[in-house]
Amino acid sequence: MPRLNLPQRIVSVIGLGAALYVCGLWAMTWGSHSFTGWTGYAPIPPAVNALHLWVRLLIWLALIAIWAGSSVLVFRSPKRGDDS
């Protein structure tokens, strides 16, 4: 696999960050109540998030750690004699 140049590395890290952000937004909806049917006599209740605050914090911290670690791997300088 050829080495990526700097602009390609920047775009890949930004793309990875955006993808992890979307995954984080999706993870925040786990356990929430959604629209389930007829609401002719009452307004739709607001969605209730079943995840505790500390669980949401851990999810975001894990996603940030994945992004930071991946960024370090992408931007690290190649070792001597590393032809791959």
Side-chain angles (χ1 to χ4, degrees):
M1 183 171 123
R3 301 294 288 174
L4 299 174
N5 59 28
L6 184 61
Q8 291 172 329
R9 291 178 187 190
I10 292 171
V11 169
S12 64
V13 166
I14 291 172
L16 177 64
L20 289 173
Y21 178 72
V22 171
C23 289
L25 291 178
W26 172 71
M28 295 301 111
T29 64
W30 292 345
S32 64
H33 302 289
S34 61
F35 175 72
T36 58
W38 176 255
T39 59
Y41 299 109
I44 299 174
V48 177
N49 196 340
L51 294 176
H52 294 286
L53 184 59
W54 63 272
V55 175
R56 290 186 274 169
L57 177 66
L58 288 178
I59 290 171
W60 282 114
L61 288 177
L63 291 173
I64 290 170
I66 291 169
W67 181 68
S70 301
S71 299
V72 167
L73 290 176
V74 168
F75 281 115
R76 70 184 168 125
S77 48
K79 299 176 192 171
R80 283 193 162 176
D82 187 14
D83 294 332
S84 57

